[in-house]
Amino acid sequence: MGIYKLKCLSCNRILEDDYTLKCNSCDALIRTEYEKKQLELRNDLPGIWKYIDWLPVSDYFETDSSIKTYKSEALAKELGLSNLYISCAGYFPEIGVKNKACSFKELESVPTYQRMKEKKKKGVILASAGNTGISFAYMSKITKIPAIIVIPESAKLLVPYPEIDTVVLIAVKGNDYFNAIHLASRINKEGFVPEGGARNIARRDGMALVMIDAAFTLKTLPDHYFQAVGSGTGAVSVWEATLRLLDDGRFGKKKIKLHVSQNHPFNPIHNAWARKAKEIDIDKDMLNAFENISKVKATMLTNRKPPYSIVGGVYDALIDTNGETYAVTNKEIDSAAKLFYELEGIDIPAEPAVAVGSLIQAIEQKKVNLSDKILLNLTAAGFERLKKDHGLYPLKPTYVAKNEHIPIEELPLNDL
Ligand SMILES: *Cc1c(COP(=O)(O)O)cnc(C)c1O
Ligand SMILES: [Zn+2]
C-alpha cells in the first residue's frame, strides 16, 4: 500500500490528508511523496492495484481496470519508427485491457473512489467534458459511492450499464465545459467532496500509471511521451511519474520529453507555449474561444481554464522536460484515426487521433529520431468495439440546467 506524505509545492509544508486538495496558504499543486522510493510490484492484487505502492490509498477493491503498454509493429513500420510503444487504458481485448470506461480516466476514478472511502467521504461532485463523467459513473456503480456529475449538454455519456442509480447527472445547456465546471463548483452536499481535478492527487497518481506501466514494460524510461491534452493534467501526472522513476534508480537517468497536442483551432496551451509564456492570455491564446470550441472534433480537449501557470502545473512540466506542443487539424485527425484503425486494429476517437497526428508532425519536423523510444498514450480506445462486445448505454441526465447560474435548490440532489 502507498505510504505517503502530502507536500505543498510552493511552501513545502507537509499537509494532513483528509481528501485534501490544497494548502491553506498557497495556490500551488500539492504532491504525494511515497515512502518507498522503489516500487514493488504487487502481482497478487487485481488490475492497477499492482502499483498500489505509488497510489495514495491503503487498501483496494476488486477491479478489472488495468493499463497496458505494448510495442507497435504496423504503425511503427508505417512511420519508420523502431521503438514505438503504445499505452492503452481503453477496451482492447487483444492486448489484454478491457476497461469498460474505455479511457485513461478509469485510472483516476479507481484510486479516487478508494481514497474517498478511506477518508469516509459520502460521495463526489465533479464536472466533466465526457470521459471523466463516464469513468466516475462507472466506478460509482461498482463501489456504490454516489456521484453528482455535471456535463455540458452536448456531451453524451455512454456507460456500460442501462442505468446507474447512484449517479445524479446534471447537463448544462450548450457545449462549454467551463460552464459545467462553474455549476459543479457551486454545489455543496453534506459529506460530499469536490473531485478536485488537477488538485486531486489520486487522480494524478492514477494517471501516472501510464508512465509507470511503460517503464516496467520497457525496463527504462522512454525518450518521448505523446498525449492530447485539454487540461494537461495527464501530462503533469506522467511528468511526476518520471521524477519518481528517476529517483527509483532502475529506469535510467535520462529525462523524458513531453509532447502535448490540441485540436486546431482551439489550442490555448499550444499558443501560450509557442510564445514561451507563463500564463495563458485570453486575448492572444484563446481568441474566439466559443466559436473555436464549436469547430473542434476532439471535444475532450476544450478546457478554457487549464492548470497551466499554477506551481507544479503544465508550464512547469513543459519547462522541466523541454517539451513541445502541437496543433492538429480536424483533417489530420480523420486520417490519423483511419490509419490507426487499419494498422493497429482498434477504433480510436478524435482525442487520441490528435496525439497520433502530433506524432506524425513531430517526425516530419524532426523533433524525434526514428530510433528513439517513444510512448504514445492513446487516452481512449475501443468504444465501438465495446459497444459490439458488451453494449453501451447513454446515461440520461437527471436534470437539464438552462445555465450555470441556476439556483442550487432546483437540482435534484436529495435523490442520493
Ligand atoms: C481527458 C482526456 C484527454 C485530456 O487529458 P488531460 O491530460 O486531462 O488534458 C485526452 N484524451 C481523452 C480521450 C480524454 O478523455
Ligand atoms: Zn503551501
mmCIF file with all atom_site columns, all heavy atoms in Angstrom, residues 103-105 131 207 227-235 300-301 351-352 379-380, ligand 1:
data_model
loop_
_atom_site.group_PDB
_atom_site.id
_atom_site.type_symbol
_atom_site.label_atom_id
_atom_site.label_alt_id
_atom_site.label_comp_id
_atom_site.label_asym_id
_atom_site.label_entity_id
_atom_site.label_seq_id
_atom_site.pdbx_PDB_ins_code
_atom_site.Cartn_x
_atom_site.Cartn_y
_atom_site.Cartn_z
_atom_site.occupancy
_atom_site.B_iso_or_equiv
_atom_site.pdbx_formal_charge
_atom_site.auth_seq_id
_atom_site.auth_comp_id
_atom_site.auth_asym_id
_atom_site.auth_atom_id
_atom_site.pdbx_PDB_model_num
ATOM   1   N N   . SER A 1 103 ? -11.329 4.729  -21.372 1.00 0.00 ? 103 SER A N   1
ATOM   2   C CA  . SER A 1 103 ? -10.319 5.794  -21.441 1.00 0.00 ? 103 SER A CA  1
ATOM   3   C C   . SER A 1 103 ? -9.413  5.768  -20.218 1.00 0.00 ? 103 SER A C   1
ATOM   4   O O   . SER A 1 103 ? -9.690  5.081  -19.237 1.00 0.00 ? 103 SER A O   1
ATOM   5   C CB  . SER A 1 103 ? -10.972 7.169  -21.548 1.00 0.00 ? 103 SER A CB  1
ATOM   6   O OG  . SER A 1 103 ? -11.365 7.633  -20.267 1.00 0.00 ? 103 SER A OG  1
ATOM   7   N N   . PHE A 1 104 ? -8.337  6.533  -20.283 1.00 0.00 ? 104 PHE A N   1
ATOM   8   C CA  . PHE A 1 104 ? -7.388  6.549  -19.157 1.00 0.00 ? 104 PHE A CA  1
ATOM   9   C C   . PHE A 1 104 ? -7.957  7.283  -17.946 1.00 0.00 ? 104 PHE A C   1
ATOM   10  O O   . PHE A 1 104 ? -7.348  7.274  -16.887 1.00 0.00 ? 104 PHE A O   1
ATOM   11  C CB  . PHE A 1 104 ? -6.008  7.062  -19.594 1.00 0.00 ? 104 PHE A CB  1
ATOM   12  C CG  . PHE A 1 104 ? -5.804  8.555  -19.667 1.00 0.00 ? 104 PHE A CG  1
ATOM   13  C CD1 . PHE A 1 104 ? -4.588  9.124  -19.266 1.00 0.00 ? 104 PHE A CD1 1
ATOM   14  C CD2 . PHE A 1 104 ? -6.770  9.399  -20.186 1.00 0.00 ? 104 PHE A CD2 1
ATOM   15  C CE1 . PHE A 1 104 ? -4.358  10.489 -19.361 1.00 0.00 ? 104 PHE A CE1 1
ATOM   16  C CE2 . PHE A 1 104 ? -6.549  10.777 -20.283 1.00 0.00 ? 104 PHE A CE2 1
ATOM   17  C CZ  . PHE A 1 104 ? -5.344  11.313 -19.863 1.00 0.00 ? 104 PHE A CZ  1
ATOM   18  N N   . LYS A 1 105 ? -9.158  7.865  -18.077 1.00 0.00 ? 105 LYS A N   1
ATOM   19  C CA  . LYS A 1 105 ? -9.837  8.442  -16.908 1.00 0.00 ? 105 LYS A CA  1
ATOM   20  C C   . LYS A 1 105 ? -10.212 7.334  -15.904 1.00 0.00 ? 105 LYS A C   1
ATOM   21  O O   . LYS A 1 105 ? -10.418 7.610  -14.740 1.00 0.00 ? 105 LYS A O   1
ATOM   22  C CB  . LYS A 1 105 ? -11.088 9.210  -17.327 1.00 0.00 ? 105 LYS A CB  1
ATOM   23  C CG  . LYS A 1 105 ? -10.840 10.381 -18.282 1.00 0.00 ? 105 LYS A CG  1
ATOM   24  C CD  . LYS A 1 105 ? -10.018 11.461 -17.641 1.00 0.00 ? 105 LYS A CD  1
ATOM   25  C CE  . LYS A 1 105 ? -9.970  12.792 -18.377 1.00 0.00 ? 105 LYS A CE  1
ATOM   26  N NZ  . LYS A 1 105 ? -9.923  12.784 -19.810 1.00 0.00 ? 105 LYS A NZ  1
ATOM   27  N N   . ASN A 1 131 ? -15.390 11.922 -20.672 1.00 0.00 ? 131 ASN A N   1
ATOM   28  C CA  . ASN A 1 131 ? -14.789 10.662 -20.222 1.00 0.00 ? 131 ASN A CA  1
ATOM   29  C C   . ASN A 1 131 ? -14.596 10.559 -18.718 1.00 0.00 ? 131 ASN A C   1
ATOM   30  O O   . ASN A 1 131 ? -14.692 9.465  -18.159 1.00 0.00 ? 131 ASN A O   1
ATOM   31  C CB  . ASN A 1 131 ? -13.456 10.430 -20.937 1.00 0.00 ? 131 ASN A CB  1
ATOM   32  C CG  . ASN A 1 131 ? -13.677 10.041 -22.389 1.00 0.00 ? 131 ASN A CG  1
ATOM   33  O OD1 . ASN A 1 131 ? -14.716 9.472  -22.719 1.00 0.00 ? 131 ASN A OD1 1
ATOM   34  N ND2 . ASN A 1 131 ? -12.721 10.341 -23.246 1.00 0.00 ? 131 ASN A ND2 1
ATOM   35  N N   . MET A 1 207 ? -3.347  8.571  -13.091 1.00 0.00 ? 207 MET A N   1
ATOM   36  C CA  . MET A 1 207 ? -2.929  8.780  -14.481 1.00 0.00 ? 207 MET A CA  1
ATOM   37  C C   . MET A 1 207 ? -1.432  8.536  -14.665 1.00 0.00 ? 207 MET A C   1
ATOM   38  O O   . MET A 1 207 ? -0.977  8.182  -15.751 1.00 0.00 ? 207 MET A O   1
ATOM   39  C CB  . MET A 1 207 ? -3.262  10.204 -14.902 1.00 0.00 ? 207 MET A CB  1
ATOM   40  C CG  . MET A 1 207 ? -4.751  10.421 -15.087 1.00 0.00 ? 207 MET A CG  1
ATOM   41  S SD  . MET A 1 207 ? -5.033  12.149 -15.503 1.00 0.00 ? 207 MET A SD  1
ATOM   42  C CE  . MET A 1 207 ? -6.486  11.963 -16.530 1.00 0.00 ? 207 MET A CE  1
ATOM   43  N N   . GLN A 1 227 ? 0.852   12.955 -25.929 1.00 0.00 ? 227 GLN A N   1
ATOM   44  C CA  . GLN A 1 227 ? -0.536  12.915 -25.440 1.00 0.00 ? 227 GLN A CA  1
ATOM   45  C C   . GLN A 1 227 ? -1.316  14.136 -25.905 1.00 0.00 ? 227 GLN A C   1
ATOM   46  O O   . GLN A 1 227 ? -0.782  15.253 -25.954 1.00 0.00 ? 227 GLN A O   1
ATOM   47  C CB  . GLN A 1 227 ? -0.555  12.870 -23.899 1.00 0.00 ? 227 GLN A CB  1
ATOM   48  C CG  . GLN A 1 227 ? -1.931  12.513 -23.327 1.00 0.00 ? 227 GLN A CG  1
ATOM   49  C CD  . GLN A 1 227 ? -2.163  13.033 -21.923 1.00 0.00 ? 227 GLN A CD  1
ATOM   50  O OE1 . GLN A 1 227 ? -1.372  12.797 -21.025 1.00 0.00 ? 227 GLN A OE1 1
ATOM   51  N NE2 . GLN A 1 227 ? -3.268  13.755 -21.737 1.00 0.00 ? 227 GLN A NE2 1
ATOM   52  N N   . ALA A 1 228 ? -2.585  13.912 -26.228 1.00 0.00 ? 228 ALA A N   1
ATOM   53  C CA  . ALA A 1 228 ? -3.502  15.025 -26.494 1.00 0.00 ? 228 ALA A CA  1
ATOM   54  C C   . ALA A 1 228 ? -3.981  15.574 -25.160 1.00 0.00 ? 228 ALA A C   1
ATOM   55  O O   . ALA A 1 228 ? -4.327  14.801 -24.268 1.00 0.00 ? 228 ALA A O   1
ATOM   56  C CB  . ALA A 1 228 ? -4.691  14.526 -27.303 1.00 0.00 ? 228 ALA A CB  1
ATOM   57  N N   . VAL A 1 229 ? -3.997  16.892 -24.999 1.00 0.00 ? 229 VAL A N   1
ATOM   58  C CA  . VAL A 1 229 ? -4.363  17.483 -23.710 1.00 0.00 ? 229 VAL A CA  1
ATOM   59  C C   . VAL A 1 229 ? -5.487  18.506 -23.817 1.00 0.00 ? 229 VAL A C   1
ATOM   60  O O   . VAL A 1 229 ? -5.627  19.212 -24.810 1.00 0.00 ? 229 VAL A O   1
ATOM   61  C CB  . VAL A 1 229 ? -3.150  18.157 -23.016 1.00 0.00 ? 229 VAL A CB  1
ATOM   62  C CG1 . VAL A 1 229 ? -2.055  17.145 -22.737 1.00 0.00 ? 229 VAL A CG1 1
ATOM   63  C CG2 . VAL A 1 229 ? -2.612  19.330 -23.832 1.00 0.00 ? 229 VAL A CG2 1
ATOM   64  N N   . GLY A 1 230 ? -6.278  18.528 -22.740 1.00 0.00 ? 230 GLY A N   1
ATOM   65  C CA  . GLY A 1 230 ? -7.267  19.588 -22.574 1.00 0.00 ? 230 GLY A CA  1
ATOM   66  C C   . GLY A 1 230 ? -6.837  20.413 -21.377 1.00 0.00 ? 230 GLY A C   1
ATOM   67  O O   . GLY A 1 230 ? -6.503  21.588 -21.484 1.00 0.00 ? 230 GLY A O   1
ATOM   68  N N   . SER A 1 231 ? -6.806  19.755 -20.210 1.00 0.00 ? 231 SER A N   1
ATOM   69  C CA  . SER A 1 231 ? -6.296  20.411 -19.008 1.00 0.00 ? 231 SER A CA  1
ATOM   70  C C   . SER A 1 231 ? -4.784  20.262 -18.917 1.00 0.00 ? 231 SER A C   1
ATOM   71  O O   . SER A 1 231 ? -4.100  21.097 -18.348 1.00 0.00 ? 231 SER A O   1
ATOM   72  C CB  . SER A 1 231 ? -6.934  19.798 -17.763 1.00 0.00 ? 231 SER A CB  1
ATOM   73  O OG  . SER A 1 231 ? -6.442  18.487 -17.545 1.00 0.00 ? 231 SER A OG  1
ATOM   74  N N   . GLY A 1 232 ? -4.276  19.166 -19.452 1.00 0.00 ? 232 GLY A N   1
ATOM   75  C CA  . GLY A 1 232 ? -2.854  18.868 -19.327 1.00 0.00 ? 232 GLY A CA  1
ATOM   76  C C   . GLY A 1 232 ? -2.536  18.085 -18.057 1.00 0.00 ? 232 GLY A C   1
ATOM   77  O O   . GLY A 1 232 ? -1.373  17.758 -17.792 1.00 0.00 ? 232 GLY A O   1
ATOM   78  N N   . THR A 1 233 ? -3.578  17.736 -17.288 1.00 0.00 ? 233 THR A N   1
ATOM   79  C CA  . THR A 1 233 ? -3.338  17.014 -16.032 1.00 0.00 ? 233 THR A CA  1
ATOM   80  C C   . THR A 1 233 ? -2.651  15.673 -16.266 1.00 0.00 ? 233 THR A C   1
ATOM   81  O O   . THR A 1 233 ? -1.791  15.260 -15.480 1.00 0.00 ? 233 THR A O   1
ATOM   82  C CB  . THR A 1 233 ? -4.674  16.787 -15.296 1.00 0.00 ? 233 THR A CB  1
ATOM   83  O OG1 . THR A 1 233 ? -5.343  18.040 -15.192 1.00 0.00 ? 233 THR A OG1 1
ATOM   84  C CG2 . THR A 1 233 ? -4.446  16.234 -13.906 1.00 0.00 ? 233 THR A CG2 1
ATOM   85  N N   . GLY A 1 234 ? -3.019  15.000 -17.329 1.00 0.00 ? 234 GLY A N   1
ATOM   86  C CA  . GLY A 1 234 ? -2.386  13.718 -17.641 1.00 0.00 ? 234 GLY A CA  1
ATOM   87  C C   . GLY A 1 234 ? -0.891  13.881 -17.883 1.00 0.00 ? 234 GLY A C   1
ATOM   88  O O   . GLY A 1 234 ? -0.078  13.071 -17.412 1.00 0.00 ? 234 GLY A O   1
ATOM   89  N N   . ALA A 1 235 ? -0.540  14.936 -18.594 1.00 0.00 ? 235 ALA A N   1
ATOM   90  C CA  . ALA A 1 235 ? 0.877   15.171 -18.891 1.00 0.00 ? 235 ALA A CA  1
ATOM   91  C C   . ALA A 1 235 ? 1.642   15.533 -17.617 1.00 0.00 ? 235 ALA A C   1
ATOM   92  O O   . ALA A 1 235 ? 2.775   15.090 -17.406 1.00 0.00 ? 235 ALA A O   1
ATOM   93  C CB  . ALA A 1 235 ? 1.016   16.274 -19.940 1.00 0.00 ? 235 ALA A CB  1
ATOM   94  N N   . MET A 1 300 ? -13.043 16.606 -25.868 1.00 0.00 ? 300 MET A N   1
ATOM   95  C CA  . MET A 1 300 ? -12.472 16.439 -24.515 1.00 0.00 ? 300 MET A CA  1
ATOM   96  C C   . MET A 1 300 ? -11.297 17.387 -24.285 1.00 0.00 ? 300 MET A C   1
ATOM   97  O O   . MET A 1 300 ? -10.762 17.465 -23.190 1.00 0.00 ? 300 MET A O   1
ATOM   98  C CB  . MET A 1 300 ? -11.937 15.017 -24.294 1.00 0.00 ? 300 MET A CB  1
ATOM   99  C CG  . MET A 1 300 ? -12.884 13.903 -24.537 1.00 0.00 ? 300 MET A CG  1
ATOM   100 S SD  . MET A 1 300 ? -14.292 13.950 -23.435 1.00 0.00 ? 300 MET A SD  1
ATOM   101 C CE  . MET A 1 300 ? -15.435 13.048 -24.452 1.00 0.00 ? 300 MET A CE  1
ATOM   102 N N   . LEU A 1 301 ? -10.866 18.060 -25.339 1.00 0.00 ? 301 LEU A N   1
ATOM   103 C CA  . LEU A 1 301 ? -9.662  18.891 -25.214 1.00 0.00 ? 301 LEU A CA  1
ATOM   104 C C   . LEU A 1 301 ? -9.996  20.377 -25.134 1.00 0.00 ? 301 LEU A C   1
ATOM   105 O O   . LEU A 1 301 ? -9.151  21.228 -25.366 1.00 0.00 ? 301 LEU A O   1
ATOM   106 C CB  . LEU A 1 301 ? -8.723  18.644 -26.414 1.00 0.00 ? 301 LEU A CB  1
ATOM   107 C CG  . LEU A 1 301 ? -8.424  17.181 -26.747 1.00 0.00 ? 301 LEU A CG  1
ATOM   108 C CD1 . LEU A 1 301 ? -7.479  17.091 -27.945 1.00 0.00 ? 301 LEU A CD1 1
ATOM   109 C CD2 . LEU A 1 301 ? -7.815  16.466 -25.545 1.00 0.00 ? 301 LEU A CD2 1
ATOM   110 N N   . GLU A 1 351 ? -9.631  12.388 -29.831 1.00 0.00 ? 351 GLU A N   1
ATOM   111 C CA  . GLU A 1 351 ? -8.551  12.859 -28.950 1.00 0.00 ? 351 GLU A CA  1
ATOM   112 C C   . GLU A 1 351 ? -7.246  12.071 -29.160 1.00 0.00 ? 351 GLU A C   1
ATOM   113 O O   . GLU A 1 351 ? -6.208  12.675 -29.437 1.00 0.00 ? 351 GLU A O   1
ATOM   114 C CB  . GLU A 1 351 ? -8.998  12.837 -27.479 1.00 0.00 ? 351 GLU A CB  1
ATOM   115 C CG  . GLU A 1 351 ? -10.117 13.827 -27.158 1.00 0.00 ? 351 GLU A CG  1
ATOM   116 C CD  . GLU A 1 351 ? -11.494 13.341 -27.598 1.00 0.00 ? 351 GLU A CD  1
ATOM   117 O OE1 . GLU A 1 351 ? -11.636 12.140 -27.903 1.00 0.00 ? 351 GLU A OE1 1
ATOM   118 O OE2 . GLU A 1 351 ? -12.427 14.163 -27.658 1.00 0.00 ? 351 GLU A OE2 1
ATOM   119 N N   . PRO A 1 352 ? -7.267  10.742 -29.042 1.00 0.00 ? 352 PRO A N   1
ATOM   120 C CA  . PRO A 1 352 ? -6.021  10.031 -29.343 1.00 0.00 ? 352 PRO A CA  1
ATOM   121 C C   . PRO A 1 352 ? -5.574  10.202 -30.800 1.00 0.00 ? 352 PRO A C   1
ATOM   122 O O   . PRO A 1 352 ? -4.373  10.143 -31.078 1.00 0.00 ? 352 PRO A O   1
ATOM   123 C CB  . PRO A 1 352 ? -6.338  8.568  -29.018 1.00 0.00 ? 352 PRO A CB  1
ATOM   124 C CG  . PRO A 1 352 ? -7.794  8.479  -28.804 1.00 0.00 ? 352 PRO A CG  1
ATOM   125 C CD  . PRO A 1 352 ? -8.285  9.842  -28.469 1.00 0.00 ? 352 PRO A CD  1
ATOM   126 N N   . THR A 1 379 ? -4.998  7.503  -24.582 1.00 0.00 ? 379 THR A N   1
ATOM   127 C CA  . THR A 1 379 ? -6.017  8.164  -23.726 1.00 0.00 ? 379 THR A CA  1
ATOM   128 C C   . THR A 1 379 ? -7.434  7.566  -23.822 1.00 0.00 ? 379 THR A C   1
ATOM   129 O O   . THR A 1 379 ? -8.140  7.529  -22.818 1.00 0.00 ? 379 THR A O   1
ATOM   130 C CB  . THR A 1 379 ? -6.085  9.705  -23.907 1.00 0.00 ? 379 THR A CB  1
ATOM   131 O OG1 . THR A 1 379 ? -6.466  10.043 -25.238 1.00 0.00 ? 379 THR A OG1 1
ATOM   132 C CG2 . THR A 1 379 ? -4.757  10.378 -23.571 1.00 0.00 ? 379 THR A CG2 1
ATOM   133 N N   . ALA A 1 380 ? -7.840  7.123  -25.000 1.00 0.00 ? 380 ALA A N   1
ATOM   134 C CA  . ALA A 1 380 ? -9.123  6.411  -25.116 1.00 0.00 ? 380 ALA A CA  1
ATOM   135 C C   . ALA A 1 380 ? -9.060  5.516  -26.342 1.00 0.00 ? 380 ALA A C   1
ATOM   136 O O   . ALA A 1 380 ? -8.401  5.853  -27.320 1.00 0.00 ? 380 ALA A O   1
ATOM   137 C CB  . ALA A 1 380 ? -10.288 7.380  -25.251 1.00 0.00 ? 380 ALA A CB  1
HETATM 138 C C1  . LIG B 2 .   ? -9.323  13.761 -20.605 1.00 0.00 ? 1   LIG B C1  1
HETATM 139 C C2  . LIG B 2 .   ? -8.856  13.315 -21.922 1.00 0.00 ? 1   LIG B C2  1
HETATM 140 C C3  . LIG B 2 .   ? -7.749  13.899 -22.528 1.00 0.00 ? 1   LIG B C3  1
HETATM 141 C C4  . LIG B 2 .   ? -7.024  15.068 -21.956 1.00 0.00 ? 1   LIG B C4  1
HETATM 142 O O1  . LIG B 2 .   ? -6.410  14.757 -20.764 1.00 0.00 ? 1   LIG B O1  1
HETATM 143 P P1  . LIG B 2 .   ? -5.739  15.845 -19.848 1.00 0.00 ? 1   LIG B P1  1
HETATM 144 O O2  . LIG B 2 .   ? -4.414  15.306 -19.545 1.00 0.00 ? 1   LIG B O2  1
HETATM 145 O O3  . LIG B 2 .   ? -6.613  15.958 -18.643 1.00 0.00 ? 1   LIG B O3  1
HETATM 146 O O4  . LIG B 2 .   ? -5.654  17.123 -20.571 1.00 0.00 ? 1   LIG B O4  1
HETATM 147 C C5  . LIG B 2 .   ? -7.320  13.391 -23.732 1.00 0.00 ? 1   LIG B C5  1
HETATM 148 N N1  . LIG B 2 .   ? -7.970  12.380 -24.336 1.00 0.00 ? 1   LIG B N1  1
HETATM 149 C C6  . LIG B 2 .   ? -9.038  11.796 -23.787 1.00 0.00 ? 1   LIG B C6  1
HETATM 150 C C7  . LIG B 2 .   ? -9.705  10.686 -24.503 1.00 0.00 ? 1   LIG B C7  1
HETATM 151 C C8  . LIG B 2 .   ? -9.519  12.241 -22.564 1.00 0.00 ? 1   LIG B C8  1
HETATM 152 O O5  . LIG B 2 .   ? -10.597 11.665 -22.032 1.00 0.00 ? 1   LIG B O5  1
#
